[in-house]
Amino acid sequence: MNDFNWLSVFYLFEYLKLRSMKNSVFLIGSYLSNDVKAASSLFRITCDHQGGNAVVEDLGLQSMELTHFSVKGSELYVANKIFSYEGKYDGAISAYRMEGEGFLLTNERSAMGAGTVYTCISMDGRFIYVCNYMDGNVVGYRLVGDGVGVPVWMERLHGSSVNRERQESPHPHAIEASPCGRYFAVADLGSDKVLLFECAGDNGVLSCNQNLTIESAAGSGPRHVRFHPAYGHIFYVTHEMGAFIAAYKLDGQACTEVGNYLFPNAGQAGVSGAEIQFHPSGRYLYASSRGDNLIHQYSVEGSSGALVLVQSVFCGGNCPVSFDVSSNGRHLLVCNQHSDCVTLFDIHEETGGVSFRSEFQISHPIMTCRM
């Protein structure tokens, strides 16, 4: 996989530029539904690492049942986990453009499936892919001037697994692009598989490479995927029901497991894996577990990709469904879904360790990403 080697040098320079940024900025999405009432579904938190001040802004956007979003410059793409769109059993994907201090809806399209839970923009910024959890498909769209264009590709997944309540059919939970843009990894919770797709050309069509398909442990439920930002042939999968992280390495036309890392309280009732994110330096990986409400910090052992657990700390709330690390690597923000709050942590520059800083009240926070 020599085509990845240049990334480690390039990424070092990019990280040093990001490190010089003074402010940490996060967007937070709030899940609105008939049962959850809130004034808005999008907020921005800006933290000045020098003065120690953090400011919360209500961006005034209302998107019913927002579950995930991706940012591309001044554009925001939102997955809506609704089950009826234009008279069909479909979710929706909405495009917004930043206007002043808020966002303006530019267009909206059917997600071509129900239970839309994840969005991923291709590395060249020309396409967006969405996962429809309930319908078991992944759909790709061309991005155009006013937002989301026509669909260019769709793949319906197949299979099931041992948990008949949650794995009766395919349930793609996430799709992520490799740093070089060649590969897309799909975590299918329903079939206990991680599928590797490759770009078939420049038209947004993806092709599943069956030789690279990963069979996860029965009943473990692959949830989210992250490629290492510098060693792009190494990627990590957090498993919701199995409460562990698995690391893999792409090598030619083979995919091999590097390691398997149980969360400290895996096996205890109610403990499940949720989010997984890298520190921008690539030296640390963070993961969250629900049930015990912890944030876990791992050190990444260079190009081997092996992980070593450094610490596990209380997330500051209940159900850390999503978190992210600021672009400058100075802060970590957690969405605590069931306690109506987000918590901000400082990240120690030398060790990557996190320490609680402050808490903000936001109704039903479901997702956050750095700006």
Side-chain angles (χ1 to χ4, degrees), residues 36 57 67 112 126 158 170 197 207 234 238:
V36 179
E57 302 167 85
T67 52
M112 299 181 66
R126 298 171 57 215
H158 303 279
F197 291 83
S207 176
I234 300 174
T238 186

Side-chain angles (χ1 to χ4, degrees), residues 88-273:
K88 297 181 179 180
Y89 184 65
D90 284 345
I93 178 170
S94 309
Y96 298 85
R97 183 178 64 249
M98 188 176 291
E99 293 281 346
E101 294 301 312
F103 286 89
L104 174 70
L105 178 67
T106 57
N107 83 332
E108 194 169 67
R109 285 190 179 274
S110 164
M112 299 181 66
T116 312
V117 294
Y118 210 89
T119 61
C120 172
I121 297 174
S122 62
M123 285 298 173
D124 61 11
R126 298 171 57 215
F127 303 95
I128 188 167
Y129 299 89
V130 301
C131 289
N132 292 310
Y133 184 87
M134 296 305 298
D135 264 15
N137 65 15
V138 186
V139 186
Y141 300 81
R142 188 180 300 276
L143 294 180
V144 294
D146 63 346
V148 182
V150 298
V152 296
W153 169 81
M154 182 179 74
E155 181 88 6
R156 188 168 298 281
L157 308 185
H158 303 279
S160 60
S161 196
V162 296
N163 187 322
R164 290 305 171 188
E165 292 184 359
R166 300 200 57 195
Q167 297 181 307
E168 78 293 346
S169 64
H171 293 309
H173 208 301
I175 178 171
E176 284 294 329
S178 66
C180 72
R182 176 180 172 183
Y183 295 99
F184 289 80
V186 174
D188 182 359
L189 184 147
S191 68
D192 283 325
K193 294 178 183 177
V194 181
L195 307 169
L196 273 294
F197 291 83
E198 295 185 68
C199 295
D202 61 357
N203 57 1
V205 174
L206 305 181
S207 176
C208 184
N209 188 329
Q210 300 291 344
N211 295 326
L212 301 179
T213 296
I214 297 166
E215 300 275 355
S216 297
S220 60
R223 178 180 171 91
H224 283 180
V225 183
R226 290 287 180 265
F227 284 86
H228 193 285
Y231 305 109
H233 61 302
I234 300 174
F235 63 96
Y236 302 81
V237 182
T238 186
H239 293 71
E240 179 173 331
M241 295 182 288
F244 67 89
I245 298 171
Y248 299 94
K249 182 180 292 186
L250 286 167
D251 185 10
Q253 286 299 302
C255 186
T256 57
E257 185 174 299
V258 173
N260 194 293
Y261 309 92
L262 282 170
F263 293 142
N265 295 324
Q268 294 185 11
V271 174
S272 64

Side-chain angles (χ1 to χ4, degrees), residues 11 15 18 229 278-284 325-329 370:
Y11 200 80
Y15 169 64
L18 291 171
F278 272 100
H279 188 273
S281 68
R283 292 187 298 166
Y284 309 109
V325 179
S326 61
S327 296
N328 59 19
R370 60 180 179 246

Side-chain angles (χ1 to χ4, degrees), residues 4-135:
F4 291 101
N5 289 345
W6 61 272
L7 282 167
S8 57
V9 177
F10 170 80
Y11 200 80
L12 174 61
F13 286 104
E14 287 298 300
Y15 169 64
L16 291 176
K17 286 194 297 183
L18 291 171
R19 186 69 189 173
S20 66
M21 295 171 58
K22 290 186 177 180
N23 292 339
S24 300
V25 184
F26 298 91
L27 287 181
I28 301 98
S30 179
Y31 184 82
L32 307 186
S33 69
N34 293 331
D35 300 323
V36 179
K37 306 297 183 184
S40 179
S41 57
L42 193 68
F43 300 83
R44 178 169 55 210
I45 290 181
T46 304
C47 180
D48 183 342
H49 75 277
Q50 293 179 330
N53 298 317
V55 178
V56 182
E57 302 167 85
D58 183 342
L59 298 181
L61 182 149
Q62 287 191 316
S63 179
M64 188 62 74
E65 303 205 24
L66 175 155
T67 52
H68 196 268
F69 53 82
S70 294
V71 177
K72 175 191 169 188
S74 61
E75 301 164 2
L76 178 73
Y77 298 91
V78 174
N80 300 283
K81 192 182 176 182
I82 55 179
F83 293 93
S84 178
Y85 182 75
E86 296 183 341
K88 297 181 179 180
Y89 184 65
D90 284 345
I93 178 170
S94 309
Y96 298 85
R97 183 178 64 249
M98 188 176 291
E99 293 281 346
E101 294 301 312
F103 286 89
L104 174 70
L105 178 67
T106 57
N107 83 332
E108 194 169 67
R109 285 190 179 274
S110 164
M112 299 181 66
T116 312
V117 294
Y118 210 89
T119 61
C120 172
I121 297 174
S122 62
M123 285 298 173
D124 61 11
R126 298 171 57 215
F127 303 95
I128 188 167
Y129 299 89
V130 301
C131 289
N132 292 310
Y133 184 87
M134 296 305 298
D135 264 15

